[in-house]
Amino acid sequence: MAQARSTVHTTTSVLVIGGGYAGVMAANRLTRRPGVTVTLINPRPDFVHRVRLHQLVGGSDDAVVAYESVLAAGVRLVTDTVTRIDPAGRGVTLAAGGTLAYDYLVYAVGSGTADPGVPGAAEFARPISTLEEARRLRTALDAEPATAPVTVVGAGPTGIETAAELAETGRTVTLVCGGVLGPYLHPRARRSVARRLGRLGVTVVDGADAKVTAVTRDAVRLADGRELPSRVTVWTAGFAVPDLAVRSGLTTDALGRLLTDETLTSVDDPRIVAAGDSAAPSGLPLRMSCQSALPQGARAADTVLSRLTGERPAELHQSYYAQCVSLGRDAGLFQLADRADVAIGFHVDGRLGARFKEIACTSIHQQLVGEARKPGSYRLHHLPGGAAKRRSLLRAAGAGRAGRDQASAAR
C-alpha cells in the first residue's frame, strides 16, 4: 500500500510598525503573497491623513480615515505601541504588555515634532505634527477670541499652510520664517505665496533676524529684539523621529533614523526593512513627505517579498515631480520640480493650484485603497528617473566619508 505524503504548510509572519502612509502601503502590498500573515501595529485605531492636519486646525476637515477603508482585508490591526525590538529573538515588546514574534519586520514609525531648543517653546508653543497635537491646538484656538494674535513659527509647507488656513477663518496671523519664506520654492512661486498670504492678511516676518529666541505665554521674541504679541504660538519648525531604533540597539543616523542599504534593509539585520520618515537609506534619507513615504512603503514590501522567493531585492530610486501647498480653501500652489526634487520656474497658483493640491491629497487615499483592493497594483516606485541623481549623491557621500576616514587615520 502506498503511503500518503504529509504536506507541511508554513506561513511567514511580517510585522509592520507604524500605520502611516509608508506602513499602510507596505502592509497592503505584503498581502499579495499567499502564506504571508501581516500585522500592522499602530498607537491609534484610525488612520491619520497627515497632509490634512492644518485643515483640522482650521475646521475644514477632521484628518481621520477609518482603517477599514485603507487596509487590505488580510491585514490584522493591533492598536498598541512598540516599546522595544528584539532582533535576536525576532520579536517586539508592546506597551500594553506581551510580545509579538516576526519573521520579517517593517520599520515605519514616521516622524513627529523636534525639540525646539528655544527657551519657553516646549512650554508655550503648540506643535502640529500629530493628530493629538493638532486637536490640542484647535482647542486652544477655540478658547481664544477671533481677534487674539496667532504666531506661526516656521515657513516650510506646514507653516505656510497653517498660517493661510487660520487667516482665512479670520484670525490675525503672523508667520515667522526664521529666514526665507518657503526656501524650497522657486523665487517666482515664493512671490506668489507671499502675495496670497498678504491678501489673507498674514504678516510675514522673514530675513536673517527673523529667528525666534524665546517664547512666552503671550509673546514671541526674535533675534533682533522684536517682541511679537501672540496668544497662541504654533511651532512647525523641524521634525524628529521616534527613538525606538536607538533604544533597540539598531544602527541609526544622527537623527535616529534606521540606517539601511539601498534596498531599505537594515545594515544590522536582513529581516528588518524600513520605510518613510524613519528610514535613512545609505545615510542619505529622502525628504520627509508622503511623496517619499508611499514609494518607500512599496519598495520595503517588495524587498521582503523578493527575499521570500530567493530573488535579489531591487534598489531604491525616487522620482519627484512637484511640491503642493494649500493656501486656504480657495487657493494653492503646484510647484513643479525636477526628478531630483529641485523646484523649477513653472508653477500653478490660485484656484487651479488649490484644485491640484486637493487632487494630490485625494490621490494619496486612492493609492492606498487601490493597493488594499489589488495588492501589487501600485507602480510609482518603478517609474524611471531619480536613479542617476541618487547614484551621484551616493558617490559624493562615499568620497566624503573616505576623506574623513583618511584624515582621522592621519591624526
Side-chain angles (χ1 to χ4, degrees):
M1 179 183 294
Q3 289 184 330
R5 294 182 180 178
S6 62
T7 302
V8 178
H9 297 280
T10 61
T11 60
T12 300
S13 174
V14 183
L15 297 185
V16 180
I17 307 177
Y21 299 123
V24 170
M25 174 58 75
N28 288 345
R29 197 171 186 85
L30 285 163
T31 63
R32 68 188 299 194
R33 180 175 172 81
V36 175
T37 62
V38 184
T39 301
L40 179 70
I41 308 170
N42 192 67
R44 304 175 192 86
D46 295 305
F47 175 78
V48 177
H49 205 354
R50 191 170 178 179
V51 296
R52 295 196 187 277
L53 285 177
H54 64 286
Q55 290 183 247
L56 186 159
V57 173
S60 62
D61 200 282
D62 61 9
V64 171
V65 176
Y67 267 118
E68 289 81 0
S69 73
V70 294
L71 269 185
V75 178
R76 174 194 176 202
L77 176 64
V78 173
T79 304
D80 208 332
T81 300
V82 174
T83 59
R84 184 173 175 80
I85 301 168
D86 176 14
R90 292 186 198 165
V92 301
T93 303
L94 301 177
T99 61
L100 290 175
Y102 66 83
D103 294 304
Y104 286 90
L105 178 74
V106 179
Y107 187 84
V109 297
S111 62
T113 303
D115 181 0
V118 173
E123 182 179 1
F124 298 113
R126 297 184 177 275
I128 189 180
S129 63
T130 68
L131 177 65
E132 293 76 15
E133 290 170 347
R135 284 174 171 171
R136 287 193 291 269
L137 172 57
R138 176 72 184 275
T139 299
L141 288 164
D142 288 344
E144 296 288 343
T147 56
V150 176
T151 300
V152 178
V153 180
T158 304
I160 291 172
E161 291 184 328
T162 303
E165 203 79 24
L166 294 178
E168 196 173 62
T169 66
R171 292 281 178 180
T172 303
V173 181
T174 298
L175 177 63
V176 179
C177 299
V180 177
L181 174 69
Y184 56 93
L185 296 173
H186 189 276
R188 295 175 188 170
R190 190 175 301 131
R191 289 192 290 270
S192 175
V193 170
R195 287 194 296 271
R196 170 62 180 173
L197 292 176
R199 286 193 290 270
L200 289 172
V202 177
T203 300
V204 176
V205 181
D206 58 4
D209 292 328
K211 298 184 184 299
V212 176
T213 57
V215 179
T216 66
R217 188 180 302 278
D218 54 11
V220 171
R221 294 172 187 157
L222 304 182
D224 60 3
R226 281 178 290 177
E227 188 166 291
L228 308 175
S230 182
R231 289 295 302 167
V232 179
T233 300
V234 186
W235 197 274
T236 72
F239 292 95
V241 299
D243 64 350
L244 176 59
V246 174
R247 285 187 281 113
S248 301
L250 295 167
T251 302
T252 67
D253 69 359
L255 292 182
R257 292 171 289 210
L258 186 67
L259 189 62
T260 76
D261 63 14
E262 287 296 288
T263 71
L264 298 180
T265 303
S266 165
V267 297
D268 301 310
D269 190 331
R271 290 181 177 266
I272 299 177
V273 299
D277 293 354
S278 54
S282 303
L284 291 172
L286 301 172
R287 172 165 58 91
M288 290 184 176
S289 67
C290 59
Q291 198 172 357
S292 299
L294 291 177
Q296 284 190 66
R299 177 65 63 198
D302 285 357
T303 291
V304 172
L305 295 174
S306 293
R307 290 215 161 87
L308 291 178
T309 57
E311 300 174 354
R312 181 183 178 86
E315 293 191 348
L316 173 74
H317 65 80
Q318 177 74 40
S319 182
Y320 294 95
Y321 60 90
Q323 301 172 31
C324 302
V325 182
S326 66
L327 297 166
R329 297 299 87 212
D330 296 326
L333 182 83
F334 186 78
Q335 165 72 77
L336 267 69
D338 62 22
R339 289 173 174 173
D341 203 26
V342 177
I344 63 176
F346 182 80
H347 70 272
V348 178
D349 55 16
R351 289 186 178 273
L352 187 56
R355 178 59 180 158
F356 283 165
K357 166 68 175 181
E358 182 58 29
I359 290 172
C361 292
T362 303
S363 71
I364 297 169
H365 181 266
Q366 292 173 338
Q367 288 165 16
L368 293 176
V369 171
E371 189 68 16
R373 293 176 178 171
K374 187 179 179 181
S377 60
Y378 181 84
R379 304 292 298 171
L380 293 183
H381 64 309
H382 291 306
L383 287 177
K389 179 64 174 180
R390 181 78 184 167
R391 285 194 295 269
S392 69
L393 290 172
L394 290 170
R395 285 195 298 269
R401 282 193 292 266
R404 290 192 295 272
D405 291 344
Q406 291 174 358
S408 178
R411 285 198 292 267

